[in-house]
Amino acid sequence: MFDFTPVDAGRWIAASGIVASYAAFCWHQFRQSRRGAKAPITQGVATDTEPILIVYASQSGQAEAIAKQTAQALSADNRQIHLRRIEEDWQAEASAARCVLFVVSTYGEGSAPDHALRFVQANLDAGIQAKLQGIRYGLLALGDRSYPAFCAFGRQLDAWLQASGARPQFERIEVDRLDAEALSSWQQQLSTLSENAPSSWTAETQDYSPWQFVERQCLNAGSPGSPIFLVVLQAISDDTPQWQAGDLVDILVPQGDGYPRAYSIANLPTDGRIELIVRKHIRDNGQTGLASGWLTEHAQVGDQMELKIRSNPGFHLQHDISRPLMLIGSGAGIAGLRAHLQARAKAIEESGNPAPQRNAWLFFGERSGRHDHLCKLEIEEWKRSQVLTKVDMSFSRDDPVTPYVQHNLLARSKEVCEWIESGAQILICGNAKKMAPGIDKALRSILGSQQVDLLMASGRIRRDVF
Ligand SMILES: Cc1cc2nc3c(=O)[nH]c(=O)nc-3n(C[C@H](O)[C@H](O)[C@H](O)COP(=O)(O)OP(=O)(O)OC[C@H]3O[C@@H](n4cnc5c(N)ncnc54)[C@H](O)[C@@H]3O)c2cc1C
Ligand SMILES: Cc1cc2nc3c(=O)[nH]c(=O)nc-3n(C[C@H](O)[C@H](O)[C@H](O)COP(=O)(O)O)c2cc1C
């Protein structure tokens, strides 16, 4: 069975920025490794006829993109490749495959990505080992060293695999903010599984492309918080860029530190322009953040930056307008919700149905109602046109009773339950440190923990939190 199409792969490769300049190096290293390299931890390597199983867990699309790119690289010699999300039933396939590659990221505070919740609960948290004796695996753990629990989920998974009897084909590779060196080590290991891997891996290198700054508009003049801007960018190439609601951009600003910053795309690709909603970040030492500072303060009309559109399947949604939708967010999180509201408005328009059952409920929070009512006119228009049927705003500086979105959710518990019972989906976008845990706690108190876990696992709750 082969469930990975080369067409998809090409798109993924083009969309994920991986280490072209390391290709020659990798090939050289591969040759060297063939001549007398360090022995793999487990004896023997997969033969060219054995299928390879690739299992991934990804919150914001990077691990998923690398897993797909890995599948593409390994499929070069007509080997069977199976690509699975970690919560899928891959364990039986693992025994047949004999070589399993894991690509997983860490999110929250050392947690697994949302879609991995069911797998984590049933295996790691429950302390239940699988029967993986005789299976060899490789593990690529994505993370960011600025978080205290660096690659925590990757490490946890590694320990569980070994406790389950699986043996590493090579040592776990940990990736800090997609660092090229770690990714080239991964490529090098792939080359021991497939002779053709390095050359196909390097076939596509076009990931970032030049975009220009078009305009910015302050959305919260006079706010007691840091300023938030609508920022408009335009592609320089003639290609018409494509994306869908929920997707992200990675931006490398001029004279930056070489690390891209992610932003949630706030619009649909109607005229090829990307709109972002960016909060000017102020560091603890009072300095302005590098990328947000450039976008909200320094960039002049026509200034160029390198930009890559990143597919973020974990925050995609099939807009079925007959199904209730709850959108919950705060601050710059209005960005991801705005793109989805535009998608819903488009779906309603295209349905041609003047009076469908189309409940959509926005919970949004910021500090001051007078200054921070982000996208106020658009929200009013969506209410008028019934794209939104209910709106609950929380302004922490104005309202001591329901200061934050989670308080508004709790205050409307009964209705929230009814919406969920009638099939509502939930999109959450915004602050990961305070807002997301607050919403999680409120939903668990309203719906019960088990139901929230089920909603997360089935993708009825989808999050873009940062
Ligand atoms: C999936 C995702 C989606 C996102 N969507 C949005 C969005 O829609 N809107 C939005 O406004 N933001 C969004 N963000 C956040 C955004 O990516 C940036 O993190 C944010 O704009 C701050 O970046 P910056 O370059 O301005 O700040 P930085 O310069 O990176 O500073 C941020 C922090 O990094 C540390 N730091 C980094 N470099 C240094 C240094 N040289 N010295 C000292 N400290 C340093 C400090 O702790 C500092 O407070 C998103 C993030 C993710 C992951
Ligand atoms: C809100 C948030 C929380 C994160 N928490 C951690 C963490 O605890 N440990 C870590 O190593 N990396 C952490 N990261 C970094 C991600 O693992 C890293 O960006 C990774 O490349 C994301 O891959 P994905 O897009 O496949 O999810 C976090 C990133 C975000 C945005």
Side-chain angles (χ1 to χ4, degrees):
M1 190 170 131
F2 184 83
D3 38 21
F4 183 74
T5 71
V7 176
D8 285 347
R11 272 214 307 270
W12 276 102
I13 291 169
S16 60
I18 309 279
V19 281
S21 57
Y22 279 82
F25 168 75
C26 290
W27 184 245
H28 175 71
Q29 294 290 91
F30 163 63
R31 290 271 190 222
Q32 295 287 91
S33 72
R34 283 277 158 130
R35 281 186 200 121
K38 203 167 87 171
I41 291 172
T42 324
Q43 286 188 343
V45 293
T47 69
D48 284 354
T49 52
E50 284 174 325
I52 291 179
L53 173 63
I54 301 168
V55 178
Y56 66 87
S58 177
Q59 183 72 28
S60 61
Q62 288 172 333
E64 182 170 346
I66 293 171
K68 289 179 172 169
Q69 200 166 18
T70 298
Q72 170 66 9
L74 292 176
S75 66
D77 48 16
N78 292 326
R79 180 193 288 278
Q80 283 193 325
I81 308 291
H82 307 275
L83 191 64
R84 297 284 173 258
R85 291 157 63 88
I86 201 164
E87 72 277 20
E88 289 174 2
D89 187 13
W90 51 265
Q91 290 173 19
E93 277 176 319
S95 336
R98 311 268 302 166
C99 180
V100 190
L101 297 173
F102 292 88
V103 186
V104 303
S105 70
T106 294
Y107 242 72
E109 291 173 3
S111 306
D114 289 350
H115 70 87
L117 186 72
R118 194 160 34 196
F119 168 81
V120 171
Q121 286 179 338
N123 298 282
L124 280 57
D125 290 354
I128 295 174
Q129 273 90 48
K131 290 196 174 66
L132 300 177
Q133 283 79 8
I135 288 165
R136 283 164 292 131
Y137 71 94
L139 198 159
L140 187 73
L142 268 52
D144 180 336
R145 282 197 192 277
S146 64
Y147 289 90
F150 179 57
C151 287
F153 176 56
R155 292 175 185 183
Q156 230 189 328
L157 179 66
D158 201 6
W160 177 83
L161 287 165
Q162 293 192 36
S164 299
R167 289 289 162 259
Q169 174 91 21
F170 48 87
E171 275 171 30
R172 179 182 68 242
I173 298 173
E174 297 185 340
V175 189
D176 177 23
R177 296 177 88 176
L178 292 188
D179 66 295
E181 210 174 322
L183 290 169
S184 86
S185 301
W186 179 250
Q187 276 180 273
Q188 201 186 335
Q189 293 298 345
L190 298 188
S191 72
T192 66
L193 297 172
S194 160
E195 295 244 349
N196 295 317
S199 49
S200 72
W201 193 243
T202 60
E204 306 265 356
T205 56
Q206 302 304 311
D207 38 18
Y208 283 87
S209 59
W211 283 60
Q212 63 185 358
F213 178 87
V214 174
E215 63 171 289
R216 70 172 73 85
Q217 184 193 332
C218 185
L219 298 180
N220 62 345
S223 168
S226 48
I228 296 180
F229 289 84
L230 178 75
V231 172
V232 183
L233 311 174
Q234 173 85 54
I236 288 174
S237 76
D238 292 337
D239 300 342
T240 312
Q242 287 304 319
W243 66 88
Q244 58 176 294
D247 286 342
L248 304 163
V249 288
D250 289 317
I251 293 183
L252 285 161
V253 299
Q255 281 97 47
D257 56 8
Y259 288 109
R261 306 299 197 268
Y263 293 94
S264 315
I265 303 179
N267 67 325
L268 293 181
T270 39
D271 55 4
R273 289 176 167 210
I274 282 185
E275 293 174 5
L276 307 176
I277 294 178
V278 181
R279 182 190 290 280
K280 189 197 280 185
H281 178 80
I282 307 295
R283 295 177 180 171
D284 294 342
N285 62 7
Q287 281 180 336
T288 303
L290 191 77
S292 65
W294 189 78
L295 289 165
T296 63
E297 197 175 314
H298 303 299
Q300 302 292 314
V301 177
D303 280 356
Q304 291 190 19
M305 76 218 77
E306 293 294 309
L307 184 149
K308 180 180 75 172
I309 295 172
R310 189 199 318 170
S311 177
N312 184 18
F315 200 58
H316 288 168
L317 189 75
Q318 205 66 42
H319 280 276
D320 172 358
I321 55 171
S322 64
R323 208 165 167 186
L325 176 65
M326 298 169 73
L327 307 103
I328 310 172
S330 68
I334 193 71
L337 303 183
R338 182 178 184 258
H340 276 293
L341 282 164
Q342 289 188 359
R344 193 164 175 94
K346 189 163 174 253
I348 290 172
E349 197 184 309
E350 285 171 0
S351 76
N353 185 348
Q357 167 86 25
R358 54 184 195 216
N359 288 325
W361 190 353
L362 173 68
F363 288 90
F364 188 72
E366 254 294 302
R367 291 191 183 172
S368 137
R370 187 151 162 245
H371 303 291
D372 294 321
H373 204 312
L374 308 180
C375 306
K376 186 175 184 202
L377 294 179
E378 283 170 293
I379 291 170
E380 280 170 0
E381 175 54 27
W382 281 321
K383 251 195 112 174
R384 197 201 55 73
S385 58
Q386 296 276 292
V387 171
L388 279 170
T389 48
K390 280 171 83 68
V391 175
D392 275 296
M393 306 295 287
S394 318
F395 292 112
S396 58
R397 296 284 166 103
D398 307 343
D399 179 359
V401 183
T402 53
Y404 299 113
V405 274
Q406 58 266 37
H407 300 119
N408 253 334
L409 278 168
L410 287 165
R412 285 147 184 75
S413 295
K414 192 168 162 286
E415 254 181 297
V416 170
C417 280
E418 287 163 7
W419 276 54
I420 294 298
E421 273 162 29
S422 61
Q425 295 169 300
I426 301 184
L427 293 171
I428 300 170
C429 191
N431 179 282
K433 282 207 179 91
K434 289 192 178 146
M435 182 205 75
I439 291 172
D440 188 68
K441 201 166 161 215
L443 289 175
R444 284 176 196 277
S445 121
I446 297 167
L447 303 166
S449 255
Q450 221 180 344
Q451 182 156 23
V452 172
D453 287 346
L454 281 172
L455 294 171
M456 299 268 274
S458 64
R460 269 179 68 189
I461 294 180
R462 288 170 177 260
R463 306 195 304 171
D464 168 20
V465 295
F466 45 85

